[in-house]
Amino acid sequence: MSAIINDIEIIKAKTTKINDVDFDNLKFGHVFSDHMLECNYENGKWQTPKVVPYQGITLDPSAKIFHYGQSVFEGMKAYKDADKNVWLFRPLENFKRLNISSKRLAIPELPENYFMDGLQALLEVDKDWIPTNEGSSLYIRPFVFASGNGFHASPADAYKFIICTAPSGSYFAGDVKVLIEEKYSRSANGGVGFAKAGGNYAGQFYPTQLAIEKGYQQVIWTDDNTHEYIEEAGAMNIFVRINDTLITGPTSDRILDGITRKSIIELAKSEGIPVEVRKITVSEVVEAAKNGSLKEMFGAGTAAVISPISGFGYKEADYDLPQLEDTYAAYLKKRITDIQTNKAEDPFGWRFQVK
């Protein structure tokens, strides 16, 4: 069965998997919806996207994604409010960042209407997959990769843009204990750290595995040159609260321009919370932990929104953060998720209704 929405062909699945899903016990990113959006880049231009049944992809062994890693992605969420309206959170920021990432990896940039109309068509078809349980959402994964063939070390001549969705529960459960990295780096000046390139995350797995073996859940990444400056927390941006001031590092070649990150900065400022965007030294954080002025640390990103850090390790020493009754992390997370789920006013114009 097929239909047309905004010039996008819809080919519906013959059967649905939705009745086999336990929406009360959703893991993050393990169950996938009935459909996906697919769009091919061929003969020098992006073809019209299609919504098709969720299915496997067949690629030639010489496809350049396997050899040269031309792959970028985004992370988004869709929510339903009490009236079953469907909402996205700042989707144009994801579209813009996908193209920024693509450009850095020599991948052709997508037209805005292909991204936005394609996404809305997909959500219209699979709107029943958007969970309504507290803390759950429909996680959305747009990604682009090189499908063109050849062993020559050069950009591909063909690409695929796909959007898949997964009804998901919370990304993390509980607070996280982290290890400040002293040897490895996730990115370098002039590199691709600011892009959501798949290889950035592959390079994080091994150091994170080493940290897990030491009893930590994640790594705090430091700068590639001196390892003196705190930059990111795992796959998230990082915020540090010293006394009543919220501090986060500036974006750069090495640090992702997180959409949750800049939303937290804008929201905190509007609430009268002192915010500083500046470099943060490891020694400053350690000293603050020792003298009691370090009140909070938390990661910020689409998947978890805000993930509190309960303690950190550095140079064979562990530092526990205080257990506060009222935290910036809890307050800001509630404010953002209330906006995302249409439980509160949106003075910033961040919420986007899917109609």
Side-chain angles (χ1 to χ4, degrees):
M1 180 179 176
S2 66
I4 302 290
I5 297 179
N6 292 342
D7 297 325
I8 295 171
E9 185 179 2
I10 312 290
I11 302 171
K12 290 193 175 180
K14 293 179 181 177
T15 58
T16 180
K17 304 168 290 187
I18 198 167
N19 297 320
D20 299 326
V21 177
D22 181 359
F23 280 86
D24 292 325
N25 294 286
L26 288 170
K27 292 183 179 180
F28 186 88
H30 277 255
V31 175
F32 303 99
S33 314
D34 285 329
H35 299 88
M36 66 186 197
L37 183 82
E38 187 174 43
C39 181
N40 293 315
Y41 181 88
E42 301 167 347
N43 303 316
K45 67 176 184 179
W46 286 104
Q47 310 301 307
T48 305
K50 291 182 179 180
V51 173
V52 298
Y54 184 89
Q55 58 193 275
I57 302 167
T58 301
L59 293 172
D60 193 280
S62 69
K64 291 199 174 185
I65 177 57
F66 300 134
H67 307 280
Y68 305 114
Q70 274 185 292
S71 173
V72 297
F73 70 95
E74 276 297 321
M76 311 169 65
K77 288 179 179 177
Y79 308 85
K80 266 185 186 169
D81 64 19
D83 297 320
K84 307 298 183 187
N85 296 309
V86 177
W87 301 92
L88 296 167
F89 185 72
R90 308 187 75 174
L92 282 173
E93 293 295 324
N94 292 99
F95 162 71
K96 291 173 187 174
R97 192 172 61 184
L98 185 70
N99 273 347
I100 289 169
S101 299
S102 293
K103 186 175 182 178
R104 181 60 181 84
L105 272 73
I107 296 171
E109 296 172 52
L110 274 161
E112 181 181 316
N113 62 315
Y114 281 23
F115 183 94
M116 292 300 297
D117 291 352
L119 175 56
Q120 292 182 83
L122 177 61
L123 292 175
E124 172 60 30
V125 173
D126 276 349
K127 59 178 178 284
D128 290 344
W129 283 85
I130 304 172
T132 54
N133 308 48
E134 191 71 29
S136 297
S137 59
L138 185 71
Y139 185 76
I140 302 167
R141 172 52 61 87
F143 60 104
V144 188
F145 65 91
S147 56
N149 303 333
F151 292 148
H152 188 270
S154 59
D157 59 2
Y159 298 86
K160 278 189 179 291
F161 166 55
I162 291 175
I163 304 179
C164 297
T165 62
S168 296
S170 297
Y171 189 71
F172 286 124
D175 294 350
V176 177
K177 190 178 178 185
V178 299
L179 179 67
I180 295 178
E181 183 56 55
E182 300 175 55
K183 177 182 178 182
Y184 297 100
S185 298
R186 69 171 293 277
S187 59
N189 287 331
V192 296
F194 67 91
K196 283 191 76 72
N200 287 348
Y201 296 80
Q204 294 182 32
F205 294 156
Y206 176 66
T208 303
Q209 190 176 34
L210 295 179
I212 290 170
E213 289 171 2
K214 294 178 180 178
Y216 303 91
Q217 285 81 49
Q218 269 297 349
V219 167
I220 295 285
W221 300 106
T222 50
D223 69 286
D224 63 304
N225 187 26
T226 65
H227 294 287
E228 292 177 4
Y229 297 96
I230 281 175
E231 297 202 330
E232 291 202 353
M236 298 182 287
N237 296 118
I238 187 167
F239 285 81
V240 174
R241 175 185 172 186
I242 296 179
N243 291 319
D244 290 332
T245 301
L246 199 57
I247 311 165
T248 192
T251 55
S252 66
D253 286 350
R254 303 183 308 276
I255 297 178
L256 187 73
D257 186 11
I259 294 162
T260 306
R261 170 191 174 276
K262 54 189 169 189
S263 302
I264 289 171
I265 292 169
E266 194 171 343
L267 179 59
K269 287 180 177 178
S270 75
E271 296 284 338
I273 295 172
V275 178
E276 293 180 3
V277 179
R278 62 169 175 81
K279 289 185 175 182
I280 314 164
T281 64
V282 176
S283 59
E284 179 183 8
V285 173
V286 170
E287 180 57 33
K290 288 178 177 178
N291 66 30
S293 61
L294 180 64
K295 304 301 183 186
E296 294 181 68
M297 295 172 68
F298 56 83
T302 297
V305 185
I306 288 175
S307 180
I309 293 169
S310 60
F312 67 91
Y314 181 64
K315 290 191 180 298
E316 306 300 324
D318 282 324
Y319 302 88
D320 292 325
L321 275 76
Q323 295 186 342
L324 304 179
E325 212 133 315
D326 299 310
T327 64
Y328 286 173
Y331 177 74
L332 292 168
K333 181 173 184 176
K334 185 176 189 308
R335 288 283 284 115
I336 287 177
T337 54
D338 281 354
I339 290 172
Q340 290 171 333
T341 53
N342 198 28
K343 292 178 182 174
E345 291 298 315
D346 176 17
F348 309 99
W350 291 338
R351 204 162 45 222
F352 179 93
Q353 186 169 7
V354 178
K355 296 181 179 178

